Amino acid sequence: MIYLQPDSTNMKVKPEISFENLEVAFASKTDGELKKMYFIFATINNNLAVSVGTKLANWAFALKFPIKGVMKKTMFGHFCGGESIEDCQHSVDKLSEFNVKTILDYSVEGEGDEKSFEATKQEILRTIDRSAGDEHIPFAVFKVTGLGDYKIMTKIQNGKKLSNKDQLAFEKTKQRVDELCHAAFTVGTKILADAEDSWYQDVLETMVYEAMEKYNKEKCVVYNTFQMYRHDMLDRLKKAHENAQKKGYILGAKLVRGAYMEKERERAEKKGYNSPIQPDKASTDRDYNAALEYCIENIDTIGLVSGSHNEQSNLKLAMLLPQFNIKSNDERVYFAQLYGMSDTISFNLAHAGFNVVKYVPYGPVEKVMPYLSRRAEENTSVAGQSGREFDLIKREIERRKNKRITNNK
Ligand SMILES: Cc1cc2nc3c(=O)[nH]c(=O)nc-3n(C[C@H](O)[C@H](O)[C@H](O)COP(=O)(O)OP(=O)(O)OC[C@H]3O[C@@H](n4cnc5c(N)ncnc54)[C@H](O)[C@@H]3O)c2cc1C
């Protein structure tokens, strides 16, 4: 069992937390919801069921079979807040009841044309408006590839000359990024730029740093994402911080391990360049934890969001705060997880007084399918993660059963 025992003097941290406190972790779930979770995790624990199920669901949507209802009651219902911002209200309320905050994450992958980039921007502006003045929704989020063509960004990163048409499209992408960051700044919310593929990430980051320079002078509004599965990322984080200090703004740093490892490795091998990915998981873990330390040591000039389901990293950050005399609910430090995953971590941290926020994905069911496929694949491919969640769900069902028996005696 993992325990946290910070020196709680002046800290709003309860003296001890355990990520295995099942009662706290599943307090928001009814018996019926818990059974549904059991069914979902039993399914995604099975590689064959995930691979066949994902293909079947995609075909069914393509052939217009009426499977929306089933999806809403299963995978979609578990991992998403709904089809619209309004639908997500139920999740926002449920999470906030337990001191967990929400990031409304429009998880639709667009058609890749100007019309869809514009529509995505408008939708994210709506999430920013929705978060205005609502302490339960402290962040908005966007993916740059939802706002502009990654192929143009790839050309720029490769030093290729752009046609006039591409140049114009790229200017529009930059304007959209700025518009979102400006809107967040204006309404007083924070905004995260997700990290994506290494072959255009430099271009994406340049836009995000330009926005930081404009909007992060007084407080941290705009955050870049650092993928610690890249062997160059710890250095890049430090350089970004040095640069922010030179230019006089606060660095917004969301740390993640990284979601696209297989794709990165495959591309590097196919194209014959050195893979940007760390040689092994231990190296990623080492750099993730070193990055947490670096951010906390420099917390006066960094805003930190730690996006992870890894127990050790969450525990490490929870212990770093009291060590550096930082209050658990200090606005500069957030723990972040995805909706429907690692509730044991989120709810126990929130219960102990830390700032915890969940990405709550939403969008029309059929359009959120790529997001759901990634969640299912991630849960099967990431060693032990869904197995562990499944185990905890089974134990909570058993705990409730035993409690009922004892109460009835
Ligand atoms: C709130 C939130 C926001 C996120 N935003 C982004 C984002 O913007 N961009 C993005 O790319 N991802 C994002 N992710 C996903 C994230 O990058 C991870 O894929 C996911 O969280 C799993 O990592 P973990 O820290 O939770 O824990 P773990 O389960 O401990 O780590 C699994 C991760 O370790 C790394 N890894 C596994 N095996 C190896 C290996 N052999 N060699 C090297 N590294 C290895 C991979 O990154 C893998 O995903 C986000 C996750 C969260 C929770």
Side-chain angles (χ1 to χ4, degrees):
M1 201 179 276
I2 298 172
Y3 284 109
L4 164 71
Q5 288 181 299
D7 166 10
S8 58
T9 336
N10 283 333
M11 305 295 149
K12 288 186 177 160
V13 183
K14 299 209 171 141
E16 192 174 88
I17 69 161
S18 156
F19 291 150
E20 300 205 5
N21 186 333
L22 300 176
E23 199 169 347
V24 170
F26 296 108
S28 68
K29 302 284 180 244
T30 62
D31 288 350
E33 285 166 339
L34 208 57
K35 276 195 192 132
K36 203 192 282 176
M37 280 173 80
Y38 176 92
F39 164 75
I40 289 166
F41 278 91
T43 311
I44 59 180
N45 236 350
N46 181 320
N47 282 2
L48 186 66
V50 168
S51 129
V52 175
T54 310
K55 280 193 191 106
L56 277 179
N58 284 327
W59 280 338
F61 275 118
L63 297 171
K64 304 217 180 313
F65 281 138
I67 63 156
K68 197 167 160 176
V70 177
M71 289 302 293
K72 276 180 129 174
K73 287 206 172 93
T74 54
M75 286 288 283
F76 182 87
H78 182 72
F79 289 109
C80 302
E83 293 198 275
S84 64
I85 294 176
E86 293 71 33
D87 283 357
C88 293
Q89 192 56 45
H90 177 71
S91 310
V92 177
D93 292 341
K94 200 86 191 266
L95 292 173
S96 67
E97 218 179 291
F98 297 91
N99 202 25
V100 176
K101 298 179 182 184
T102 294
I103 301 173
L104 293 167
D105 177 19
Y106 182 57
S107 295
V108 170
E109 285 172 21
E111 318 289 311
D113 54 22
E114 289 298 307
K115 198 170 150 216
S116 81
F117 296 143
E118 203 49 35
T120 300
K121 182 197 79 185
Q122 291 300 344
E123 184 62 27
I124 296 166
L125 283 173
R126 280 191 278 278
T127 66
I128 295 170
D129 276 351
R130 174 62 192 83
S131 73
D134 190 335
E135 57 170 349
H136 302 306
I137 313 180
F139 291 88
V141 65
F142 68 95
K143 275 195 170 51
V144 175
T145 53
L147 305 171
D149 190 344
Y150 74 90
K151 294 193 281 313
I152 298 176
M153 293 186 248
T154 308
K155 281 185 199 164
I156 299 173
Q157 188 156 320
N158 285 339
K160 296 219 171 97
K161 199 169 169 342
L162 295 188
S163 66
N164 287 344
K165 191 171 161 237
D166 281 356
Q167 187 61 48
L168 209 65
F170 183 59
E171 292 305 322
K172 281 196 182 149
T173 308
K174 288 208 288 189
Q175 276 166 19
R176 290 183 191 115
V177 171
D178 185 62
E179 211 176 315
L180 294 180
C181 297
H182 179 259
F185 174 77
T186 308
V187 306
T189 198
K190 305 183 229 287
I191 188 158
L192 309 170
D194 277 352
E196 305 190 55
D197 300 321
S198 62
W199 48 97
Y200 51 82
Q201 182 67 23
D202 295 2
V203 179
L204 182 168
E205 282 183 4
T206 306
M207 291 183 241
V208 179
Y209 290 133
E210 277 170 14
M212 274 191 213
E213 205 176 331
K214 279 166 115 174
Y215 306 116
N216 285 16
K217 293 274 186 210
E218 305 290 326
K219 53 184 186 167
C220 198
V221 174
V222 182
Y223 291 67
N224 184 36
T225 300
F226 297 85
Q227 295 159 312
M228 305 314 299
Y229 67 8
R230 283 182 56 170
H231 51 67
D232 60 349
M233 203 43 82
L234 190 55
D235 269 354
R236 284 168 73 114
L237 170 70
K238 292 177 184 173
K239 289 211 178 89
H241 180 228
E242 274 165 29
N243 203 32
Q245 287 195 294
K246 267 190 220 138
K247 293 189 170 159
Y249 64 85
I250 300 163
L251 177 72
K254 180 184 117 200
L255 304 181
V256 298
R257 280 183 168 73
Y260 312 104
M261 182 175 74
E262 280 94 5
K263 194 174 160 194
E264 289 282 356
R265 282 187 170 146
E266 270 165 33
R267 185 177 191 268
E269 199 177 322
K270 201 165 140 211
K271 295 199 172 246
Y273 59 87
N274 286 338
S275 168
I277 302 298
Q278 304 263 21
D280 49 38
K281 171 81 162 64
S283 310
T284 302
D285 292 346
R286 180 203 57 216
D287 279 8
Y288 191 92
N289 293 342
L292 285 178
E293 274 176 25
Y294 182 82
C295 291
I296 292 297
E297 280 163 11
N298 292 285
I299 202 65
D300 287 339
T301 46
I302 295 182
L304 170 64
V305 174
S306 169
S308 176
H309 299 138
N310 180 294
E311 286 190 359
Q312 297 301 332
S313 295
N314 279 292
L315 188 69
K316 181 169 181 74
L317 179 56
M319 293 178 84
L320 278 170
L321 298 192
Q323 275 169 28
F324 281 79
N325 221 20
I326 301 168
K327 283 189 183 165
S328 52
N329 62 351
D330 190 305
E331 257 311 291
R332 296 170 297 180
V333 183
Y334 274 83
F335 295 76
Q337 286 84 39
L338 306 180
Y339 188 68
M341 288 173 72
S342 296
D343 285 350
T344 44
I345 294 176
S346 313
F347 286 87
N348 276 300
L349 283 171
H351 185 67
F354 294 96
N355 291 324
V356 182
V357 70
K358 290 257 199 199
Y359 269 44
V360 176
Y362 75 92
V365 181
E366 61 283 9
K367 296 197 171 159
V368 178
M369 276 310 287
Y371 174 86
L372 288 176
S373 307
R374 270 205 306 280
R375 288 293 74 79
E377 276 156 22
E378 183 176 271
N379 273 287
T380 48
S381 70
V382 176
Q385 189 166 305
S386 77
R388 182 159 161 66
E389 300 233 17
F390 188 40
D391 180 51
L392 292 170
I393 294 162
K394 281 192 284 193
R395 281 171 46 199
E396 174 62 0
I397 291 173
E398 196 58 29
R399 189 192 67 81
R400 288 187 188 184
K401 201 168 102 191
N402 291 337
K403 196 174 164 201
R404 271 194 297 272
I405 294 170
T406 315
N407 288 345
N408 289 338
K409 270 186 188 162

